[in-house]
Amino acid sequence: GGGWNADGTCATGCKPGFSGPSCTEKCPAGCPDTCDQTGQCSAGCAETHYGENCETECPAHTVDGCDRTTGKPTNCVAKFFPAVEENKGVCKPCPGNCEGE
């Protein structure tokens, strides 16, 4: 009875944060509470990750998350700016000759 099949697998899906046939595996770090039973990140990535299954961490110095496909940061910390290099998002240092530095 309950939410189990005769073979011990879950019939009704997993609780938040878990995946796998018997719901014994943790969701990936990139979507810790929102993966489906197959382990896919169904509701988007955590602000710190990107990739098809949220498997890659956003670049260093990222603020406010990054694009799920390219990893381009939404914003960067002071004295850095968002960019894409070699098909990967980065926070690049601002040139050192600007006023106010």
Side-chain angles (χ1 to χ4, degrees):
W4 298 92
N5 293 316
D7 64 358
T9 58
C10 294
T12 55
C14 302
K15 290 181 178 179
F18 292 91
S19 67
S22 299
C23 301
T24 55
E25 299 162 42
K26 289 194 170 217
C27 288
C31 61
D33 298 321
T34 58
C35 73
D36 62 22
Q37 195 163 353
T38 66
Q40 294 297 304
C41 298
S42 51
C45 299
E47 197 172 81
T48 55
H49 286 72
Y50 74 100
E52 184 177 335
N53 203 33
C54 308
E55 68 281 356
T56 308
E57 285 192 42
C58 291
H61 310 298
T62 295
V63 178
D64 301 326
C66 62
D67 182 90
R68 183 165 181 174
T69 304
T70 65
K72 181 180 180 181
T74 304
N75 291 297
C76 298
V77 297
K79 299 190 179 184
F80 287 82
F81 66 96
V84 175
E85 284 186 345
E86 299 173 14
N87 297 319
K88 290 167 87 176
V90 294
C91 280
K92 294 185 64 151
C94 294
N97 299 323
C98 298
E99 287 285 337
E101 286 197 10

